[in-house]
Amino acid sequence: EKASATVAAAAVTAEPKGPKRVRRDLSTAQFWYYLDKEEKKQGPFYPGVVRDWYAAGYFPDASTKFGCSFVGEIPRAKDFEAISDLFSEPLKETAFQKIAAGIALYPVEAQASEVVAVTEQDMLNDEFSAERNPKWLEQSLQRMEDGVFSNKARPILKGSFVNYESSRADGHAD
């Protein structure tokens, strides 16, 4: 009886004080940070990058501490945990392996992108092409001078016709 009372007292004193910490689903982390040997935060890094580094053996010590970011926040010091506490054994098969759908694995510039060359024919297909309408600029300037030109639903290019009046070919200003 005395032994069971001692075990019960030990169980009561061993419980952590304060609210129980709930861990979010690590597969939804958008970025990862780690603490280097000087305990400085390094990051943010995309999940695919950290997964590749871990698989390549850059973090051989299971006590390396990682913290994750779910919406761009920087993890606080208390949010960093050892890899061995974040993932189950065997770590080589579980650490940074589960990544939720919709989470970017790598930065955009690291993903393949297609370079599209603009041909001369593409330039000739422009609605304001001099080849299709050789007087388009003259007509546009005339419409503007007549007050017919409207910028509704068109981009306004600031500075496009700077000092238009003083640059006219006939030297007259309005």
Side-chain angles (χ1 to χ4, degrees):
E1 201 174 322
K2 188 176 183 182
S4 64
T6 306
V7 171
V12 170
T13 58
E15 284 188 31
K17 296 179 180 165
K20 188 175 180 180
R21 191 168 162 197
V22 177
R23 179 177 289 155
R24 291 179 67 176
D25 180 4
L26 297 178
S27 72
T28 62
Q30 292 184 6
F31 300 104
W32 285 91
Y33 292 75
Y34 72 92
L35 296 179
D36 64 16
K37 292 179 183 188
E38 288 81 37
E39 295 290 311
K40 290 183 182 176
K41 290 178 190 175
Q42 301 296 327
F45 301 105
Y46 283 85
V49 172
V50 175
R51 180 185 61 197
D52 294 348
W53 287 347
Y54 187 76
Y58 289 109
F59 304 108
D61 187 0
S63 65
T64 302
K65 292 185 178 183
F66 280 84
C68 49
S69 171
F70 295 95
V71 290
E73 75 281 11
I74 298 173
R76 298 169 298 199
K78 69 177 188 168
D79 296 329
F80 284 81
E81 296 182 56
I83 296 172
S84 58
D85 293 334
L86 292 170
F87 303 100
S88 60
E89 293 287 344
L91 293 175
K92 289 285 185 195
E93 295 176 17
T94 62
F96 309 105
Q97 295 301 313
K98 184 179 172 191
I99 300 171
I103 300 295
L105 295 177
Y106 302 99
V108 174
E109 62 269 7
Q111 296 175 0
S113 61
E114 181 183 352
V115 176
V116 179
V118 177
T119 66
E120 190 173 335
Q121 186 61 39
D122 292 331
M123 292 169 53
L124 292 176
N125 289 335
D126 181 14
E127 69 176 279
F128 297 113
S129 168
E131 180 125 338
R132 292 182 64 202
N133 182 359
K135 296 188 178 229
W136 73 267
L137 179 58
E138 184 181 326
Q139 292 168 350
S140 293
L141 293 174
Q142 185 60 51
R143 281 194 308 271
M144 193 170 148
E145 196 172 90
D146 294 343
V148 177
F149 186 77
S150 171
N151 282 325
K152 289 182 182 174
R154 295 183 187 165
I156 299 173
L157 302 175
K158 200 170 190 181
S160 296
F161 296 100
V162 175
N163 296 327
Y164 165 70
E165 291 81 18
S166 63
S167 64
R168 289 181 45 176
D170 61 5
H172 291 91
D174 290 334

